[in-house]
Amino acid sequence: MEIINLEKTPSLLSRYIRELRDITIQSDPLRFRRNLERIGEIMAYEISKRLDYHDEEVTTPLEKAWAKEPTEKIVLATILRAGLPFHQGFLNYFDHAENAFVSAYRKYKEKGDKFDVLVEYLASPDIEGKTLIIVDPMLATGSSMELGYRALLNNGTPSKIHVASVIASRQAIDYIAGVMPQDKTTIWTAAIDPAINSHSYIVPGLGDAGDLAFGEKL
């Protein structure tokens, strides 16, 4: 399994990560969402370099030309709700992709920090033999990503899998590497943080991405 950490190569991506983390800039939800979208666009472009292509003829106003066209059928899947702006960034580039949505969320117990991850909603096309890109901005424990992936398997088995996150914990990277198919999964992230706290939030992380993007929930 290949793990690609884009922060190892300095780029404008670093600025967007910094703004996402900055508690003063986080007060602007529009900018927070846009930065998630921008990172999705950058990551989609990087993933596009790994796709298979064929030559396709195109007619210009002057004469014939040839261009590279992706041959893979892509399903872009998102873990709700924080994943929506990130998903939009990917969709801006993979505009011909089919889309899937999974509601994997934490249900906390009455006392303490313990929680179960529940999946209550799935909307997905057939993914059999297709390239599956699963996006979730925060990969904290990896449990939501795993359950989302297993829910999607009800609609087929993909030929390739790309797991994309903005910030991942080292624990989640190791967990996903142990539960996803080794021979066809690539993990993409823009930053890997060293730990998670007692609430299973990434440290230093950025807080609750869903709340910062869409407002606090009850």
Side-chain angles (χ1 to χ4, degrees), residues 39 43 65 108 135 172:
I39 294 169
M43 204 167 286
Y108 283 89
V135 308

Side-chain angles (χ1 to χ4, degrees), residues 38-55:
R38 285 168 164 168
I39 294 169
E41 290 171 344
I42 293 170
M43 204 167 286
Y45 174 72
E46 293 297 327
I47 291 175
S48 76
K49 298 176 184 178
R50 301 296 187 92
L51 301 180
D52 294 328
Y53 291 82
H54 73 274
D55 292 321

Side-chain angles (χ1 to χ4, degrees), residues 40-75:
E41 290 171 344
I42 293 170
M43 204 167 286
Y45 174 72
E46 293 297 327
I47 291 175
S48 76
K49 298 176 184 178
R50 301 296 187 92
L51 301 180
D52 294 328
Y53 291 82
H54 73 274
D55 292 321
E56 187 165 301
E57 188 178 70
V58 59
T59 302
T60 80
L62 301 178
E63 59 181 51
K64 303 288 186 181
W66 291 90
K68 297 288 185 182
E69 184 70 15
T71 58
E72 298 176 36
K73 294 182 178 180
I74 295 172
V75 175

